[in-house]
C-alpha cells in the first residue's frame, strides 16, 4: 500500500487551515495510507489547539517562529519522508480540494511515466476570490483559472500562468509536461527527495517553487501538469495582495533568482532596476 503524506503550513490562518483540513476528507482513500501534517509557524490565534481538537488524527509540528513557506514546508516534508511516504502532497492552507480523485489521478501519472518527478493539478480561484470577480457572471465564479500549467519568463523574471483569469472551457484538461509547477499544490515523489535538496530556506516566501523546479529538472526529472483534476485557491490569503511583506519578498527573491539563473543581459537589467528601487 502506498503511503502519502499531505503537508500544509499554518501561520495565524486558523479559519483557512480548518477549512482545508475538512476538504481533505474528500480524498481519503483506502488504497493509500494517508497522514496529514500541519506545520505551525508560531501562530498566536489559537490554531494549534483548535486543529488538535477538531482533527486529532492530524500530526501538528510546531516551529515556534515564522519560518516562512520554505522553512515550514521543509520541516513537514522531512517528517513525511521519515514516516516513509512514497508521495508527498504539498498544499497551501488557503486551498480547498475540488476532486475526490485528486491523488488517484496524479499518482497514476507517476506510475505511467517514471521520469516524472513533480505534478501540479489545475487550480481555480476559490469562488469570490477571483482577482477581477466583478467582470464574471455569477455562474462562472469558481470556474476561473488561476493555474493551468505555466512557464517562467527568464527575460523578465516572472511566472506566466496559462489560462489565468479565464473561465474554464476545458482547453487545459489534459495531463502534460510543463515548464513550471506551483508550490500552491504539488505532489513530489520520494525518489526526487532522495536526489534533490528541499526548498531554499533563505527564500522564505515566493519563487521557492521556481528554484525547486530548476533543481528537479536538473536532476533529470520532468515537471508535469494534471488538468484532469483540480483544487480551489483563495489567492494570496497568507501574505495579502499588494501587502508590504508580499512586495518585499517578491522583489527581493526576484532579484535572487535572476542573479542565480538568468542570462548576463538580464542580470544587468536587474542591477539597473535595483538601483532605481534604491533611489
Amino acid at each position: 500500500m502506498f503511503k502519502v503524506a499531505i503537508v500544509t503550513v499554518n501561520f495565524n490562518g486558523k479559519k483557512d487551515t480548518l477549512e482545508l483540513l475538512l476538504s481533505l476528507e474528500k480524498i481519503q482513500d483506502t488504497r493509500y495510507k494517508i497522514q496529514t501534517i500541519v506545520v505551525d509557524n508560531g501562530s498566536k490565534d489559537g490554531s494549534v489547539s483548535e486543529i488538535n481538537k477538531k482533527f486529532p488524527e492530524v500530526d501538528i509540528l510546531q516551529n515556534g517562529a515564522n519560518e516562512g513557506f520554505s522553512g515550514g514546508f521543509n520541516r513537514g516534508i522531512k517528517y513525511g519522508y521519515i514516516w516513509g511516504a512514497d508521495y508527498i502532497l504539498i498544499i497551501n492552507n488557503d486551498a480547498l480540494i475540488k476532486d475526490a480523485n485528486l491523488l488517484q489521478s496524479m499518482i497514476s501519472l507517476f506510475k505511467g511515466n517514471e521520469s516524472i518527478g513533480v505534478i501540479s493539478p489545475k487550480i481555480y480561484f476559490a469562488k469570490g476570490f477571483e482577482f477581477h470577480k466583478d467582470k464574471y457572471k455569477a455562474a462562472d465564479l469558481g470556474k476561473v483559472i488561476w493555474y493551468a500549467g505555466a512557464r517562467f519568463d527568464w527575460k523578465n523574471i516572472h511566472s506566466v500562468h496559462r489560462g489565468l483569469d479565464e473561465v474554464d472551457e476545458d482547453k487545459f484538461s489534459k495531463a502534460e509536461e510543463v515548464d513550471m509547477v506551483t508550490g500552491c499544490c504539488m505532489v513530489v515523489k520520494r525518489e526526487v527527495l532522495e536526489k534533490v535538496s528541499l526548498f531554499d530556506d533563505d527564500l522564505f516566501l515566493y519563487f521557492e517553487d521556481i528554484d525547486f523546479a530548476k533543481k528537479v529538472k536538473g536532476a533529470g526529472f520532468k515537471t508535469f501538469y494534471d488538468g484532469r483534476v483540480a483544487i480551489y485557491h483563495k489567492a494570496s490569503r497568507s501574505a495579502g495582495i499588494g501587502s508590504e511583506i508580499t512586495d518585499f519578498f517578491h522583489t527581493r527573491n526576484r532579484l535572487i533568482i535572476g542573479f542565480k539563473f538568468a542570462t548576463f543581459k538580464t542580470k544587468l537589467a536587474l542591477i539597473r532596476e535595483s538601483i532605481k528601487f534604491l533611489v
Side-chain angles (χ1 to χ4, degrees):
M1 180 181 288
F2 294 124
K3 297 174 80 173
V4 181
I6 301 174
V7 180
T8 194
V9 173
N10 176 72
F11 176 61
N12 293 324
K14 177 170 63 176
K15 182 176 183 296
D16 287 330
T17 301
L18 290 171
E19 288 177 358
L20 167 65
L21 293 174
L22 184 62
S23 80
L24 286 174
E25 293 180 356
K26 285 185 180 180
I27 60 173
Q28 298 302 314
D29 194 318
T30 55
R31 284 167 290 190
Y32 317 122
K33 184 172 183 179
I34 296 174
Q35 181 59 53
T36 301
I37 302 155
V38 174
V39 182
D40 186 76
N41 271 343
S43 297
K44 306 294 184 186
D45 64 347
S47 294
V48 172
S49 59
E50 197 69 14
I51 293 167
N52 189 53
K53 182 170 73 174
K54 293 188 175 178
F55 298 94
E57 72 282 3
V58 170
D59 286 350
I60 305 173
L61 311 181
Q62 298 184 62
N63 277 336
N66 186 5
E67 297 187 8
F69 180 102
S70 302
F73 273 105
N74 282 346
R75 185 171 180 196
I77 292 166
K78 289 174 186 174
Y79 185 92
Y81 183 87
I82 292 169
W83 174 69
D86 299 290
Y87 302 96
I88 296 182
L89 170 62
I90 296 164
I91 187 165
N92 274 13
N93 76 315
D94 58 0
L96 296 166
I97 302 302
K98 177 182 179 293
D99 295 316
N101 65 329
L102 183 79
L103 285 176
Q104 180 186 348
S105 181
M106 290 193 280
I107 289 174
S108 72
L109 272 182
F110 282 117
K111 303 308 290 182
N113 187 338
E114 293 184 358
S115 67
I116 298 174
V118 185
I119 303 170
S120 284
K122 183 186 291 180
I123 303 175
Y124 297 108
F125 286 96
K127 187 175 181 179
F129 289 88
E130 297 84 355
F131 288 147
H132 312 287
K133 53 181 171 288
D134 294 338
K135 81 174 191 178
Y136 302 105
K137 297 175 184 175
D140 290 333
L141 297 181
K143 301 176 185 175
V144 180
I145 295 170
W146 183 79
Y147 170 91
R151 64 178 177 84
F152 197 77
D153 180 352
W154 287 104
K155 287 185 179 179
N156 297 293
I157 315 299
H158 67 81
S159 58
V160 181
H161 282 206
R162 190 173 60 173
L164 179 66
D165 291 329
E166 294 181 22
V167 176
D168 191 14
E169 296 179 346
D170 286 331
K171 287 194 295 184
F172 313 111
S173 296
K174 65 179 182 179
E176 58 188 305
E177 185 175 3
V178 291
D179 179 48
M180 189 194 123
V181 286
T182 173
C184 175
C185 183
M186 61 169 72
V187 178
V188 185
K189 71 178 181 181
R190 186 178 184 87
E191 290 83 351
V192 168
L193 302 176
E194 291 169 348
K195 295 182 179 179
V196 176
S197 58
L198 303 182
F199 295 114
D200 184 344
D201 282 338
D202 291 335
L203 291 174
F204 192 82
L205 181 69
Y206 297 120
F207 290 94
E208 68 292 309
D209 48 2
I210 303 300
D211 182 70
F212 182 67
K214 287 283 285 183
K215 291 185 289 190
V216 168
K217 289 190 281 190
F221 295 101
K222 293 178 180 178
T223 51
F224 254 66
Y225 160 74
D226 189 351
R228 302 170 300 179
V229 287
I231 66 164
Y232 297 108
H233 182 210
K234 305 169 194 172
S236 297
R237 287 278 282 178
S238 299
I241 300 169
S243 67
E244 287 186 13
I245 191 170
T246 294
D247 289 345
F248 173 78
F249 281 108
H250 192 275
T251 301
R252 187 199 71 160
N253 291 353
R254 181 168 171 260
L255 295 173
I256 291 172
I257 291 296
F259 285 121
K260 189 173 181 180
F261 296 117
T263 63
F264 180 71
K265 184 178 178 181
T266 298
K267 289 174 183 176
L268 285 177
L270 286 170
I271 290 170
R272 288 196 295 270
E273 190 173 306
S274 300
I275 292 169
K276 266 196 222 175
F277 281 131
L278 287 171
V279 170

